[in-house]
């Protein structure tokens, strides 16, 4: 017999032969062995050895061979048995493979083993069984990433599991729950382990995790948040609201909501306007009117005749009033007309009554005539007070001495006529020392009987007398008794100017606006908005100060110009702006809509970026009120920060004012803070506030927590939208109360933010010492207007009176080559007002009036002269006179 495997050679063939204790029966000696059990691939988990099993029949011996080398006999566990069905011997062999055995050849090739079975006929080899060390690395090669997807959109989440032996199986979880594509076909897991959500649903929002596992370990990826958002969609428009006007032109609006669908999970809001406004015209109610009476009917047998009328001129309609009075009238008829004439005591009594009434009326008329003549004689030598100034005034004229060889600019107007009322010397505006200035003093002193007398042009120094006289009258009882915000003076046909310093408000009275022979005491004042109760309907907002000039009812021959600030974006496409005027009865009326001016009306407006000039032929109380036509409409807000000038406590307050961007409000806040002991701690900022119905938020950040803390409980403060948009609250502000840890802490650094929700914002970066603040910034730098409140005559104008007359006479007449007032208007960028200017008797004078109103503080006569030179008028050379010559 030949020897066995080489691994047994050491024990010798004899020893091998001795091991065969059960030789095969002769009948089966020619059979080759076949395997009942062959070794399978196995994995070593951690340090646990694995067992390979091989079973064969008929076999005399079985040995394992691993990686080409025979396994020693001692490592084999051999079991022998006899198959009861065939009687053939069955041999089973097992070996254990340790991790160390496999690691010895790790990296060169896979560790494998196979068994070899012998019989007397020959040998058979089993399949190779590979032994591998199982593992699963910790880190995923690709993890899923979070996404925000729209509703019904397909979602793809990638996952590449960690490297492992055997390869890891992958499953997906949503919010820690297993995803089973069989139960929910909206999910699909690809062959490369990616997850596909076919159509994203709101319920698919969640945290998705990729799970990899094999026999060694189970790994989870980081969660990927999938947010399924819904973009907002507009609902259908609601029906139009009723027209805001009861009669004539008004506005109506309709709305829609972003609820079809409502934006969810960060979806975009609807684009466009939620409110639409449209002009509408309401049919005015028609009150009924009586037709003419019909002819009297013939006198009836009852001595009565009749006549009738109908309510048909016009017929009442659209809610108008019915006709008041009788539609049928009767009258007793006597004498020949009555078929049954009868004379009695009743006729005599009727005639006696008629005669008595006639006598009483005659006597009353005589008494009224006598009283009127007596009063007229008593007023011949006096001048009426401010309530009857329109009756005129004829004081004693004074003829000034005309200097010899005077320059053209110092020529005085002819004041020798009996109608003039100006007294004193007229000088050029450049002669500051001799300027004729009305420093808030009335020219007329009150007499005991209530009339006024002229006292040689002398101005009383008591400013309260004028306000007392005005406030005693019914219309002026709402005038503020605030001399700081009121200017007044006495003016004649030479005109003048009233100014409220540091408010941007002035009243220009052009020459010839007051009729010759009359003297008017005129005032200019600001009304506090909270005192006026200006009615605002719907989305209307106050866009300017409420300004009063008067007395109302005085006769003007030319329009005066009222200048005041406004706080809107000056884009009339986004606004419907109306000029409102208060009537004698106290109600507010729309007298002008900006952009739709009618030249025949007594009001007109020149709109600029931050100011407006109102031409008016009637004095009174005015305000600009606006209604936004789109969400693009914006108001300018002025943001001011104030803090105590001195602080000796642990608490430190910062006040943030959010007010309309007009100079009068700035002045009011400055004055109020000066009384409170506060000072401005940063430069003012301008914030554009949109008509978006969103509130204004204020917050403070970036404070050193070791030294300061905010006592505000919430993260921010909020001012409601309508409190700001109405414009009725003048000094709207929020206070931030800070607390320092100890009194030695004086350095404060923080950031204060002010923003409109979903709108524009501003931030203030503060860094200063609250006890030694030496910054030059102070509230006084914002109040630099020291102009005289009242100027009368030539001193109120930059263009000398005679030169003005010469320019007007030169440009008013039409010129064939166009070098007239129209070219001057074009050069001064007043093209939009051509129709208005053309309706005036002297268009040039209106242009110069507007130039004076716009450039009183910053006007340059040389620039105006250059414009005149471009037009080709030689009169421009008059402006080039030096100040010394003037």
């Amino acid at each position: 017999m030949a020897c066995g495997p080489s691994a047994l050679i050491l024990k010798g063939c004899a020893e091998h032969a001795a091991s065969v204790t059960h030789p095969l029966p002769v009948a089966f000696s020619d059979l080759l062995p076949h395997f009942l059990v062959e070794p399978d691939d196995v994995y070593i988990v951690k340090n646990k050895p694995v067992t390979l099993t091989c079973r064969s029949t008929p076999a005399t011996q079985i040995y394992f061979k691993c990686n080409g080398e025979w396994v020693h006999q001692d490592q084999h566990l051999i079991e022998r048995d006899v198959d009861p069905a065939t009687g053939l011997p069955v041999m089973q062999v097992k070996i254990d493979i340790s991790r160390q055995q496999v690691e010895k050849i790790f990296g060169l090739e896979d560790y494998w083993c196979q068994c070899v079975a012998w019989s007397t006929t020959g040998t058979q080899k089993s399949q190779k069984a590979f032994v591998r060390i199982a593992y699963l690395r910790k880190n995923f090669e690709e993890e899923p990433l979070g996404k925000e997807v729209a509703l019904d959109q397909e979602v793809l989440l990638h996952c590449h599991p960690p490297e492992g032996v055997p390869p890891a199986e992958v499953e997906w979880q949503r919010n820690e729950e297993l995803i089973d594509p069989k139960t929910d076909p909206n999910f699909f897991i690809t062959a490369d382990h990616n997850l596909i959500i076919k159509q994203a649903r709101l319920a698919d929002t969640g945290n998705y995790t990729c799970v990899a596992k094999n026999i060694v370990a189970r790994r989870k990826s980081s969660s990927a948040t999938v947010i399924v958002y819904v973009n907002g969609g507009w609902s259908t428009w609601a029906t139009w609201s009723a027209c805001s006007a009861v009669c004539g032109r008004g506005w109506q609006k309709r709305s829609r909501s972003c609820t079809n669908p409502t934006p969810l999970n960060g979806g975009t809001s609807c684009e466009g306007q939620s409110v639409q406004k449209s002009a509408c015209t309401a049919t005015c109610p028609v009150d009924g009117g009586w037709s003419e009476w019909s002819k009297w009917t013939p006198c009836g047998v009852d001595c009565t005749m009749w006549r009738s009328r109908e309510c048909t001129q016009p017929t009442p309609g659209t809610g108008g009033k019915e006709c008041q009075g009788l539609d049928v009238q009767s009258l007793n008829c006597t004498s020949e007309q009555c078929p049954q004439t009868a004379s009695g005591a009743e006729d005599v009594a009727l005639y006696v009554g008629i005669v008595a009434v006639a006598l009483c009326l005659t006597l009353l008329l005589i008494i009224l005539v006598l009283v009127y003549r007596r009063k007229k004689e008593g007023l011949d030598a006096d001048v009426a007070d401010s309530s009857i100034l329109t009756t005129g005034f004829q004081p004693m004229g004074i003829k000034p001495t005309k200097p010899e060889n005077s320059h053209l600019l110092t020529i005085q107007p002819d004041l020798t006529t009996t109608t003039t009322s100006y007294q004193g010397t007229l000088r050029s505006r450049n002669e500051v020392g001799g300027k004729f200035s009305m420093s808030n003093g009335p020219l007329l002193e009150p007499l005991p009987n209530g009339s006024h007398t002229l006292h040689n042009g002398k101005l009383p120094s008591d400013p309260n007398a004028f306000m007392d006289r005005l406030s005693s009258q019914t219309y002026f009882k709402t005038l503020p008794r605030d001399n700081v915000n009121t200017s007044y003076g006495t003016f004649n046909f030479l005109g003048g100017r009233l100014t409220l310093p540091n408010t941007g408000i002035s009243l220009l009275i052009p020459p010839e606006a007051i009729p010759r022979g009359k003297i008017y005491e005129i005032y200019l004042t600001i009304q506090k908005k909270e005192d006026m109760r200006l009615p605002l309907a719907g989305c209307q907002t106050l866009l300017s100060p409420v300004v009063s000039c008067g007395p109302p009812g005085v006769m003007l021959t030319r329009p005066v110009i009222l200048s005041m600030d406004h706080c809107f974006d000056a884009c009339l496409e986004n606004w419907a702006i109306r000029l409102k005027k208060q009537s004698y009865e106290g109600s507010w009326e729309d007298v002008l809509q900006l952009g739709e001016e009618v030249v025949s009306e007594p009001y007109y407006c020149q709109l600029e970026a931050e100011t407006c000039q109102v031409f008016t032929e009637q004095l009174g109380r005015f305000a600009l009120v606006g209604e936004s036509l789109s969400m693009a409409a914006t108001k300018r807000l002025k943001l001011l920060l104030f803090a105590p000038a001195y602080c000796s406590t642990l608490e430190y307050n910062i006040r943030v004012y959010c007010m309309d961007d007009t100079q009068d409000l700035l002045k009011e806040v400055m004055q109020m803070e000066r009384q409170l002991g506060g000072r401005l701690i940063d430069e003012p900022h301008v914030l554009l506030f949109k008509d978006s119905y969103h509130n204004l938020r204020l917050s403070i950040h970036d404070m050193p927590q070791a030294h300061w803390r905010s006592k505000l409980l919430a993260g921010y403060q909020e001012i409601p939208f309508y409190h700001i948009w109405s414009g009725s609250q003048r000094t709207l502000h929020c206070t931030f109360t800070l607390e320092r840890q100890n009194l030695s802490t004086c350095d404060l650094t923080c950031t204060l933010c002010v923003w409109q929700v979903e709108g524009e914002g501003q931030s203030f970066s503060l860094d200063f010492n609250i006890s030694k603040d030496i910054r030059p910034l102070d509230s006084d730098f914002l109040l630099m207007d020291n102009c005289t409140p009242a100027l009368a005559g030539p001193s109120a104008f930059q263009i000398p009176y005679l030169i003005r007359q010469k320019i007007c006479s030169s440009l008013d007449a039409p010129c064939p080559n166009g070098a007239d007032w129209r070219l001057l208007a074009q050069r001064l960028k007043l093209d939009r007002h051509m129709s208005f200017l053309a309706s005036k008797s002297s268009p040039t004078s209106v242009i110069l009036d507007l130039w004076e109103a716009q450039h009183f503080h910053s006007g340059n006569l040389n620039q105006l002269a250059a414009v005149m030179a471009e037009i080709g008028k030689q009169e421009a050379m008059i402006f080039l006179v030096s100040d010394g010559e003037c």
Side-chain angles (χ1 to χ4, degrees):
M1 177 180 294
C3 292
S6 59
L8 304 177
I9 293 177
L10 295 176
K11 294 194 175 182
C13 291
E15 181 180 353
H16 177 266
S19 66
V20 182
T21 59
H22 298 283
L24 292 176
V26 177
F28 301 102
S29 61
D30 58 346
L31 296 176
L32 287 173
H34 71 276
F35 292 97
L36 302 176
V37 177
E38 294 185 81
D40 294 323
D41 294 343
V42 291
Y43 296 93
I44 297 177
V45 179
K46 298 182 180 180
N47 293 319
K48 296 179 181 179
V50 295
T51 300
L52 299 179
T53 302
C54 191
R55 184 181 180 88
S56 178
T57 184
T60 59
Q61 56 183 339
I62 301 175
Y63 292 99
F64 275 92
K65 192 176 189 178
C66 294
N67 284 75
E69 296 182 1
W70 294 101
V71 179
H72 197 276
Q73 182 180 3
D74 294 343
Q75 297 177 8
H76 291 73
L77 179 61
I78 302 174
E79 295 181 4
R80 300 181 186 274
D81 198 1
V82 176
D83 188 347
T86 61
L88 292 175
V90 177
M91 188 175 185
Q92 177 176 288
V93 178
K94 296 181 179 180
I95 63 171
D96 291 335
I97 306 297
S98 67
R99 184 184 184 99
Q100 291 78 9
Q101 291 176 265
V102 176
E103 287 178 342
K104 286 181 181 179
I105 60 169
F106 183 76
L108 299 177
E109 58 179 335
D110 288 338
Y111 190 92
W112 58 269
C113 294
Q114 68 178 164
C115 58
V116 181
W118 279 269
S119 68
T120 55
T121 304
T123 63
Q124 285 281 65
K125 293 182 180 180
S126 71
Q127 66 181 7
K128 287 184 178 181
F130 290 91
V131 181
R132 299 181 178 90
I133 299 176
Y135 67 92
L136 183 64
R137 300 195 184 280
K138 292 183 178 181
N139 297 325
F140 281 73
E141 296 186 10
E142 184 179 10
E143 291 187 300
L145 300 177
K147 293 184 178 182
E148 294 183 0
V149 296
L151 189 69
D152 296 329
Q153 182 180 336
E154 183 181 89
V155 185
L156 174 62
L157 297 178
H158 294 277
C159 178
H160 194 169
E163 179 186 349
V165 174
E169 298 178 357
V170 173
E171 62 184 20
W172 284 85
Q173 293 180 348
R174 181 184 65 194
N175 298 332
E176 303 297 330
E177 294 183 1
L178 181 65
I179 295 175
D180 186 2
K182 295 180 180 179
T183 59
D184 190 347
N186 195 42
F187 293 103
F188 177 71
I189 300 176
T190 64
D192 50 356
H193 312 302
N194 297 329
L195 177 66
I196 295 178
I197 305 175
K198 299 177 182 178
Q199 286 185 319
R201 304 160 297 189
L202 286 176
D204 294 329
T205 297
N207 297 319
Y208 287 78
T209 309
C210 180
V211 180
K213 62 181 181 179
N214 64 6
I215 59 175
V216 179
R218 187 171 184 265
R219 312 288 188 203
K220 279 188 175 184
S221 69
S222 57
S223 295
T225 301
V226 174
I227 298 176
V228 181
Y229 61 84
V230 178
N231 292 326
W234 288 114
S235 64
T236 56
W237 285 103
T239 57
W240 287 100
S241 65
C243 193
S244 61
V246 179
C247 173
R249 181 169 180 179
W251 299 94
Q252 59 181 167
K253 62 182 179 180
R254 63 176 182 175
S255 61
R256 57 180 177 175
S257 59
C258 191
T259 56
N260 187 29
T262 303
L264 293 174
N265 298 335
T268 58
S269 297
C270 302
E271 295 183 358
Q273 302 177 8
S274 62
V275 178
Q276 269 188 350
K277 296 181 181 178
S278 175
C280 59
T281 302
T283 304
C284 298
V286 178
D287 294 337
W290 290 113
S291 64
E292 295 294 331
W293 285 102
S294 65
K295 293 182 179 181
W296 289 102
T297 62
C299 191
V301 294
D302 56 351
C303 291
T304 304
M305 55 183 181
W306 302 83
R307 66 175 180 175
S308 63
R309 58 180 177 175
E310 296 179 348
C311 189
T312 57
Q313 291 188 359
T315 303
T318 324
K321 297 178 181 179
E322 295 287 339
C323 299
Q324 301 296 318
L326 299 175
D327 58 347
V328 177
Q329 197 176 50
S330 63
L331 182 67
N332 288 335
C333 47
T334 58
S335 69
E336 304 85 14
Q337 297 179 358
C338 181
Q340 300 177 358
T341 55
S343 176
E346 294 84 357
D347 296 335
V348 175
L350 176 63
Y351 298 146
V352 171
I354 293 174
V355 172
V357 171
L359 289 175
C360 291
L361 292 176
T362 303
L363 181 60
L364 180 60
L365 180 60
I366 294 172
I367 293 173
L368 291 176
V369 171
L370 292 176
V371 172
Y372 173 77
R373 288 184 177 179
R374 183 170 298 176
K375 286 188 176 182
K376 187 173 185 300
E377 292 173 358
L379 290 174
D380 283 342
D382 295 330
V383 180
D385 63 5
S386 297
S387 64
I388 54 170
L389 285 174
T390 57
T391 58
F393 174 56
Q394 300 291 337
M396 178 178 62
I398 299 177
K399 182 177 181 180
T401 304
K402 182 176 180 180
E404 297 181 0
N405 300 325
S406 62
H407 194 275
L408 177 61
L409 291 183
T410 59
I411 294 177
Q412 306 302 322
D414 185 8
L415 304 180
T416 60
T417 61
T418 59
T419 58
T420 183
S421 58
Y422 180 83
Q423 299 187 25
T425 304
L426 299 180
R427 294 187 176 90
S428 170
R429 186 173 180 270
N430 294 319
E431 295 183 66
V432 179
K435 184 179 295 185
F436 179 67
S437 172
M438 295 294 186
S439 56
N440 282 3
L443 183 60
L444 306 176
E445 271 189 1
L447 293 177
N449 60 1
S451 61
H452 298 78
T453 309
L454 183 65
H455 290 284
N456 298 326
K458 195 173 182 180
L459 304 180
S461 59
D462 183 11
N464 295 320
F466 178 76
M467 300 305 297
D468 290 339
R469 293 203 307 277
L470 288 180
S471 300
S472 64
Q473 302 179 40
T474 303
Y475 180 78
F476 306 106
K477 286 183 178 178
T478 57
L479 281 177
R481 292 177 176 266
D482 183 4
N483 294 326
V484 177
N485 292 321
T486 303
S487 296
Y488 52 90
T490 307
F491 304 94
N492 62 2
F493 77 96
L494 291 174
R497 184 190 306 265
L498 290 175
T499 304
L500 299 178
N502 300 308
T503 64
I505 299 172
S506 64
L507 180 68
L508 181 75
I509 308 167
E512 307 294 342
I514 298 176
R516 288 177 178 264
K518 293 186 181 294
I519 294 179
Y520 292 161
E521 269 186 326
I522 298 179
Y523 65 85
L524 178 67
T525 186
I526 303 176
Q527 301 287 155
K528 290 188 177 180
K529 300 174 185 176
E530 54 268 23
D531 296 337
M532 291 308 302
R533 302 295 180 189
L534 185 69
L536 298 176
C539 300
Q540 289 182 339
T541 176
L542 188 59
L543 299 176
S544 75
V546 181
V547 181
S548 293
C549 56
V554 297
M555 183 180 68
L556 298 173
T557 57
R558 291 185 54 194
V560 298
I561 301 179
L562 177 62
S563 300
M564 56 184 176
D565 288 353
H566 65 76
C567 60
F568 67 102
D569 54 15
C571 181
L572 295 181
E573 294 179 356
N574 300 329
W575 290 90
I577 308 295
R578 292 179 173 87
L579 177 68
K580 286 184 175 286
K581 180 178 182 291
Q582 192 175 29
S583 65
Y584 288 99
E585 293 78 15
S587 61
W588 287 87
E589 302 171 347
D590 296 340
V591 296
L592 175 67
Q593 179 164 340
L594 272 62
E596 298 182 7
E597 296 89 349
V598 179
V599 296
S600 60
E601 295 294 328
Y603 307 98
Y604 197 82
C605 184
Q606 154 71 6
L607 182 65
E608 298 176 9
E610 297 181 358
T611 61
C612 66
Q613 282 80 34
V614 178
F615 292 79
T616 174
E617 298 176 11
Q618 299 175 6
L619 301 184
R621 190 167 293 149
F622 297 93
L624 283 181
V625 173
E627 184 174 5
S628 65
L629 302 180
S630 70
M631 294 180 66
T634 57
K635 288 182 67 173
R636 295 192 320 275
L637 299 183
K638 182 79 77 176
L639 305 179
L640 300 175
L641 266 63
F642 285 90
Y646 304 98
C647 181
S648 59
T649 63
L650 293 177
E651 287 190 353
Y652 189 73
N653 294 323
I654 296 178
R655 291 179 293 277
V656 185
Y657 288 85
C658 308
M659 60 189 189
D660 292 346
D661 184 17
T662 57
Q663 295 183 54
D664 66 300
L665 282 180
L666 179 62
K667 176 182 177 180
E668 182 177 340
V669 172
M670 292 294 187
Q671 292 173 342
M672 183 175 64
E673 280 292 334
R674 188 176 290 119
Q675 295 175 357
L676 295 175
R679 77 181 307 265
L680 198 66
I681 60 175
D682 203 349
E683 294 185 2
H685 290 195
V686 174
L687 175 69
L688 297 181
F689 191 76
K690 291 186 177 181
D691 181 17
S692 61
Y693 303 101
H694 290 297
N695 298 339
L696 190 70
R697 288 184 179 176
L698 303 92
S699 61
I700 193 165
H701 311 276
D702 304 332
M703 285 190 302
Q705 300 296 326
H707 304 289
W708 291 88
R709 74 178 185 91
S710 172
K711 300 187 73 173
L712 183 67
L713 298 180
Y716 56 83
Q717 298 191 63
E718 197 164 75
I719 302 177
F721 169 82
Y722 287 103
H723 288 187
I724 298 175
W725 193 255
S726 66
S728 59
Q729 302 190 34
R730 294 174 65 84
T731 56
L732 201 60
H733 70 280
C734 285
T735 300
F736 288 91
T737 301
L738 310 181
E739 186 177 48
R740 46 183 172 169
Q741 299 300 327
N742 53 68
L743 293 175
S744 62
T745 301
C746 296
D747 293 324
L748 174 61
T749 59
C750 62
T751 301
L752 201 148
C753 300
V754 184
W755 76 101
Q756 186 180 15
V757 180
E758 299 186 11
E760 184 177 319
Q762 291 281 9
S763 62
F764 299 82
S765 296
L766 304 179
D767 186 0
F768 65 100
N769 188 299
I770 66 174
S771 62
K772 298 179 181 180
D773 192 358
I774 58 174
R775 294 174 299 171
L777 185 63
D778 193 83
S779 60
D780 290 337
F781 88 100
L782 294 171
L783 305 175
M784 300 298 292
D785 186 2
N786 296 318
C787 64
T788 305
L791 294 172
S795 62
F797 305 97
Q798 294 208 34
I799 306 173
Y801 181 77
L802 292 181
I803 296 178
R804 174 192 176 93
Q805 288 182 322
K806 190 174 183 62
I807 295 175
C808 292
S809 62
S810 175
L811 294 182
D812 279 343
C815 185
N817 59 359
D820 51 22
W821 65 268
R822 291 168 296 181
L823 188 56
L824 177 61
Q826 292 177 359
R827 292 290 189 269
L828 297 180
K829 298 180 180 180
L830 301 176
D831 309 57
R832 189 176 75 86
H833 311 296
M834 286 296 190
S835 299
F836 170 70
L837 297 173
S839 66
K840 302 303 176 184
S841 58
S842 176
T844 308
S845 64
V846 178
I847 295 174
L848 297 181
D849 292 343
L850 182 57
W851 187 89
E852 290 276 6
Q854 293 173 324
H855 302 92
F856 179 62
H857 298 290
S858 59
N860 189 332
L861 287 178
N862 288 332
Q863 292 179 354
L864 186 59
V867 173
M868 295 292 295
E870 291 178 7
I871 297 176
K873 295 296 181 180
Q874 297 302 320
E875 292 83 351
M877 300 305 296
I878 299 175
F879 288 111
L880 301 179
V881 181
S882 65
D883 291 344
E885 293 174 322
C886 293

